[in-house]
Amino acid sequence: MDMEEGTSDSPGHRCDTDPDPWQWDRREDCEVRQILDRIADKWSLLVIALLQGRTLRFTELKRQIDGISQRMLTSTLRQLERDGLIERTVHPVVPPRVDYALTPLGSTLHSTVQALVTWTELNQNEIAAARARYDSAATSRA
Amino acid sequence: MDMEEGTSDSPGHRCDTDPDPWQWDRREDCEVRQILDRIADKWSLLVIALLQGRTLRFTELKRQIDGISQRMLTSTLRQLERDGLIERTVHPVVPPRVDYALTPLGSTLHSTVQALVTWTELNQNEIAAARARYDSAATSRA
DNA sequence: CGGCATCCAGGGAGATACTG
DNA sequence: CAGTATCTCCCTGGATGCCG
C-alpha cells in the first residue's frame, strides 16, 4: 500500500500535523484547505463532472478521462468515496462489475464544478490570447 | 530559470504534444483540460479568492496563504498573470512595492471560485463524518 | 474486469543564499 | 521588499505484472 494516504485526522478537526496554524484569509482553518485541495484536484474535477446524472464503470471512466492512469483513477475514486462524494457499487458477477455514481452530497458539488468547466470553455480563447500577449512580450524582452 | 515552464503552445490550439487526442467526455480538447488544471490548482484557487475586490502585495499574499513558499507563490502569480487573470503592478519606489489584483477576466472567475470555497465551508462537517465512517469501516476490516 | 503491489523516473516544492 | 538562483528531496504518477 504505497497509495497516497489520507491524512486520517480524527474527526473533530485539528491541525496537529501542521507546524503552525494556517491563516488563509484569517477565517479558514486547515480543514477547508485540505478539502479544497482534494476537490480542486485535477482528476477529481473531471470525475465529478463526468458522473453528472449517470453511473459509470471503472473502465468507462478511464476511457472518457483518457490520459489518466489506472493508478490515479483508482486513487482518485477512493478519495472521493472516502469523502462521501461518490458511491462505489460492486456487483458480485463474473467478470466483476463496479459502478460509480455521485452521492447526494457529490451532486451538490456538481453544479459548482460544472460552473468551473463552463467558465473555462467560455474563456479559453481569451486566456489563449492573454498567454500569447504575455509570451511575445517576454520574448521581445529577451 | 528552472521555474516550471508554461507549455507555450502557439495560439490556435492544438495538441501535437499529446500521443493521442484527449476525449474528456468526448467534447473537450486538451486546451480546456490544461486551463482547468491551472485554475483548479491548489494555490491558484487561494490567490484568486484572496484577491476578491482588493489589491494585495506579495508579502501580504504570502502571509495570508501561510504555508506557501515564496517560490510557489511567485510561480503561481506568474502563471495567473500569464493567463490574464491577475495584474501585476510594480511601483518604482524604494523599497520596491508590487501589487497584485484581479483583472476583469479574473473577476469573472472569482464568483465560481468563491462558490467552491463556500461549498467546502458548508460541507466540511459532512465530509469529516463521511471520512470517519469510511475509515472506521476500513479499520474494522483490517 | 477491476484493482492492488512494486519499481522507478520526473518534477513539484522546500530551504537557503544572493541581488536590485 | 520582491524576487531570482541552486541544490536537493520526496511525492506524484507512469509502467508493469499479478490476483479475485
Side-chain angles (χ1 to χ4, degrees):
Chain A
M1 192 61 150
D2 85 318
M3 303 238 95
E4 26 291 281
E5 280 292 311
T7 41
S8 78
D9 39 2
S10 55
H13 23 103
R14 317 246 320 297
C15 267
D16 293 342
T17 51
D18 295 325
D20 52 276
W22 297 116
Q23 299 192 50
W24 160 244
D25 200 24
R26 268 92 179 233
R27 297 170 308 144
E28 311 309 330
D29 57 14
C30 59
E31 278 280 297
V32 171
R33 291 273 298 264
Q34 209 178 107
I35 297 172
L36 219 45
D37 284 0
R38 182 138 317 151
I39 63 181
D41 172 71
K42 171 178 179 160
W43 302 121
S44 300
L45 231 44
L46 297 177
V47 168
I48 291 169
L50 282 170
L51 287 179
Q52 167 186 39
R54 61 178 165 177
T55 291
L56 290 177
R57 304 180 58 177
F58 184 89
T59 312
E60 290 170 338
L61 279 168
K62 178 154 172 26
R63 198 168 25 234
Q64 305 246 315
I65 306 186
D66 205 297
I68 193 174
S69 65
Q70 65 287 61
R71 185 194 206 285
M72 288 315 299
L73 181 54
T74 300
S75 170
T76 300
L77 290 170
R78 284 292 177 286
Q79 304 281 7
L80 293 175
E81 187 193 1
R82 186 172 104 102
D83 289 353
L85 297 174
I86 66 174
E87 189 183 17
R88 179 171 178 267
T89 309
V90 182
H91 298 91
V93 297
V94 39
R97 177 194 179 92
V98 181
D99 288 335
Y100 293 92
L102 292 178
T103 61
L105 180 60
S107 295
T108 66
L109 221 200
H110 177 268
S111 65
T112 304
V113 168
Q114 189 55 51
L116 208 60
V117 173
T118 301
W119 183 94
T120 303
E121 292 171 355
L122 287 176
N123 296 98
Q124 59 171 313
N125 289 331
E126 193 162 352
I127 289 180
R131 287 185 183 175
R133 250 179 285 124
Y134 184 94
D135 292 344
S136 73
T139 299
S140 68
R141 264 196 306 279
Chain B
M1 193 62 150
D2 83 320
M3 304 239 97
E4 26 292 283
E5 279 293 311
T7 39
S8 81
D9 38 1
S10 55
H13 24 99
R14 319 246 322 294
C15 267
D16 293 341
T17 51
D18 297 322
D20 52 278
W22 298 114
Q23 299 192 48
W24 161 245
D25 200 25
R26 270 88 180 236
R27 296 171 310 149
E28 311 310 330
D29 58 14
C30 58
E31 278 280 298
V32 172
R33 290 273 298 265
Q34 207 178 109
I35 297 171
L36 218 45
D37 284 359
R38 182 140 317 154
I39 63 181
D41 171 72
K42 170 177 180 159
W43 302 120
S44 300
L45 230 43
L46 298 177
V47 169
I48 291 169
L50 283 169
L51 288 179
Q52 168 186 37
R54 61 178 165 178
T55 290
L56 291 177
R57 303 179 58 177
F58 185 88
T59 311
E60 291 170 335
L61 278 169
K62 178 154 171 30
R63 200 169 22 236
Q64 305 245 316
I65 307 187
D66 205 296
I68 194 174
S69 63
Q70 67 287 53
R71 177 179 164 57
M72 286 317 297
L73 181 54
T74 300
S75 169
T76 300
L77 290 170
R78 285 291 178 288
Q79 303 281 6
L80 292 175
E81 187 194 1
R82 186 172 103 103
D83 289 354
L85 297 174
I86 67 175
E87 190 183 15
R88 179 170 178 269
T89 309
V90 182
H91 297 92
V93 298
V94 42
R97 176 193 181 92
V98 181
D99 288 334
Y100 292 92
L102 291 179
T103 61
L105 179 60
S107 296
T108 66
L109 222 200
H110 177 265
S111 65
T112 304
V113 168
Q114 189 55 52
L116 207 60
V117 173
T118 301
W119 183 94
T120 303
E121 291 172 355
L122 288 176
N123 296 99
Q124 60 171 314
N125 289 330
E126 192 163 353
I127 289 180
R131 287 185 183 175
R133 252 180 282 124
Y134 184 94
D135 291 343
S136 71
T139 301
S140 66
R141 266 197 304 280

